[in-house]
Amino acid sequence: PAPAPAVRPHRATGYAAESLVGAIAERVQEALQGASGDMEAAQAALIKSAIPDVMELFRKSRVGGRYEHSEFPPTSDVLKKRSQKGADQIWEGRPKWRNEELFKGSDLHEVSVLDMNAAYCAGMKCWLPIGRLVEDASGVHDTKKSGVHLITPSEWDHANLPNPLGSRKEAGDVWVPEELLRTLIWAADQGFCERPIIRKSLVSGATEGLLEKLRRALAQARETAIAEGDELTVEYVKSMYSKFVSTIGESTRNRELRRADWMHNIRSKAAGNLVRKAFKAHACGLLVAQVSGTDELHVVGDWRNAKTPNGKLAFPEGRGLDQVKQKDAYTIGGGR
């Protein structure tokens, strides 16, 4: 009989350059050998080298790329930290919201806490500016550009759903990243609110594929490691994508790239992904109890069997980037 065909890894995350995935595996093996097989020591070494390692992967992912991005463009005032430990003027829209009617109501509800896997890795698929940011006072949203925008947000009148703008208490105009603007426009197009008014923009030509090869390689390495029970690689990959996002702004820990506009947009995309999951839960008949950070969605109802209008499971369970896992449960209501 003919030999059975070789089993190939599932590629739900899309094509990833084999050389990048291979480089991740080789680095893990090097760390294990250097630590004489001591898993804890190898993990400590990998986490310590995560920033230079992910930057090297990023450089390799850009070889032959269609666009040549700016690594150290002039920093606009709104993107500069106002103090050494302070923040700049950009509002990312990370949600911190809970449904007060459910919490304070007389009915008891069992709440499932769903965790969005690898939120920042998924958030790397976003529209990023390629060059230095230039002012645009037209008030028009150009979908082929990205950066940051000064907007007047619209009113939000839905007590049972989180405002995509996040937990902002201050009234008036606010600087937001491109990805938060896109989420707000999406919510308006769904009929939940009016479109925000764009007062001024700082933008550059943009692409959604700038980090795509890197993202796919990290996602593929993570997926393979999970399938093989290789938690060392899972933690190493997590350290790489999380530190990439957190250090490409004005961090002194990463001197190879300074793009605070990228950092804000990746974080806003992760937050926007979570908010859209909350809207999906609502559309499937679940009650949304709470939304927090970039990866926690708290829902009431049978989430495992909730389906979209086309009959697909709304929240497939697992550790993949397009899946969720339940990490906790609690009871609310009863007039407390």
Side-chain angles (χ1 to χ4, degrees):
V7 177
R8 297 185 181 276
H10 175 55
R11 282 183 173 171
T13 50
Y15 171 73
E18 296 297 335
S19 61
L20 299 181
V21 178
I24 295 172
E26 288 171 9
R27 181 70 189 91
V28 172
Q29 289 305 311
E30 286 175 5
L32 276 170
Q33 290 173 5
S36 301
D38 185 323
M39 297 288 284
E40 288 189 7
Q43 181 168 318
L46 288 169
I47 291 175
K48 186 176 181 180
S49 69
I51 295 173
D53 289 356
V54 75
M55 294 309 300
E56 178 63 21
L57 282 175
F58 177 51
R59 281 193 297 275
K60 289 179 178 177
S61 76
R62 297 301 302 149
V63 173
R66 185 177 175 186
Y67 304 103
E68 186 172 338
H69 64 274
S70 299
E71 296 179 337
F72 292 91
T75 304
S76 305
D77 287 344
V78 297
L79 287 159
K80 291 179 180 177
K81 290 183 178 181
R82 286 171 281 189
S83 64
Q84 187 173 359
K85 294 185 177 180
D88 57 30
Q89 297 179 47
I90 310 302
W91 177 259
E92 295 174 348
R94 282 184 278 183
K96 187 178 181 182
W97 171 89
R98 73 178 199 168
N99 191 330
E100 295 296 346
E101 291 182 2
L102 281 183
F103 275 83
K104 296 178 180 179
S106 58
D107 295 336
L108 290 173
H109 298 284
E110 182 74 12
V111 179
S112 299
V113 181
L114 305 185
D115 183 42
M116 308 297 118
N117 300 310
Y120 280 150
C121 188
M124 289 167 70
K125 187 176 182 63
C126 65
W127 285 89
L128 295 177
I130 299 165
R132 70 181 184 90
L133 304 185
V134 177
E135 184 170 329
D136 178 355
S138 69
V140 176
H141 181 229
D142 187 338
T143 58
K144 293 183 180 179
K145 293 183 178 181
S146 179
V148 294
H149 307 266
L150 180 65
I151 66 165
T152 302
S154 61
E155 295 294 323
W156 188 256
D157 299 319
H158 306 280
N160 59 346
L161 283 171
N163 185 342
L165 188 65
S167 57
R168 185 174 177 82
K169 300 294 189 293
E170 299 87 346
D173 295 349
V174 58
W175 282 98
V176 300
E178 173 72 25
E179 286 296 340
L180 177 49
L181 175 62
R182 288 179 184 246
T183 301
L184 292 168
I185 290 173
W186 170 84
D189 290 346
Q190 299 294 310
F192 288 99
C193 58
E194 298 296 321
R195 281 195 170 209
I197 300 170
I198 302 172
R199 301 297 181 184
K200 182 166 58 175
S201 299
L202 295 171
V203 290
S204 164
T207 173
E208 198 178 19
L210 206 56
L211 303 180
E212 189 59 7
K213 283 187 179 179
L214 173 62
R215 185 193 70 83
R216 286 179 176 178
L218 293 169
Q220 186 66 55
R222 178 183 181 276
E223 181 180 308
T224 301
I226 289 172
E228 296 175 352
D230 177 6
E231 292 301 321
L232 177 61
T233 297
V234 172
E235 290 302 313
Y236 175 46
V237 168
K238 179 180 180 180
S239 184
M240 281 197 287
Y241 65 68
S242 61
K243 289 185 177 182
F244 177 84
V245 176
S246 65
T247 66
I248 59 174
E250 291 190 313
S251 171
T252 57
R253 298 173 64 200
N254 186 345
R255 300 184 182 275
E256 298 182 52
L257 184 66
R258 189 186 65 210
R259 295 296 308 235
D261 48 355
W262 290 12
M263 176 189 71
H264 289 307
N265 272 295
I266 296 168
R267 287 176 172 174
S268 281
K269 180 58 182 289
N273 287 342
L274 179 61
V275 167
R276 291 178 194 233
K277 290 277 198 330
F279 280 74
K280 178 191 281 190
H282 175 75
C284 293
L286 302 174
L287 298 177
V288 183
Q290 192 164 315
V291 182
S292 180
T294 56
D295 57 7
E296 271 194 22
L297 174 63
H298 301 217
V299 297
V300 174
D302 183 9
W303 65 270
R304 287 185 174 89
N305 291 308
K307 293 184 178 179
T308 61
N310 60 12
K312 292 185 178 180
L313 285 177
F315 299 101
E317 189 171 7
R319 294 179 67 185
L321 262 66
D322 57 349
Q323 298 174 321
V324 303
K325 58 181 181 289
Q326 181 169 340
K327 65 178 184 181
D328 200 2
Y330 60 91
T331 302
I332 59 173
R336 290 178 291 180

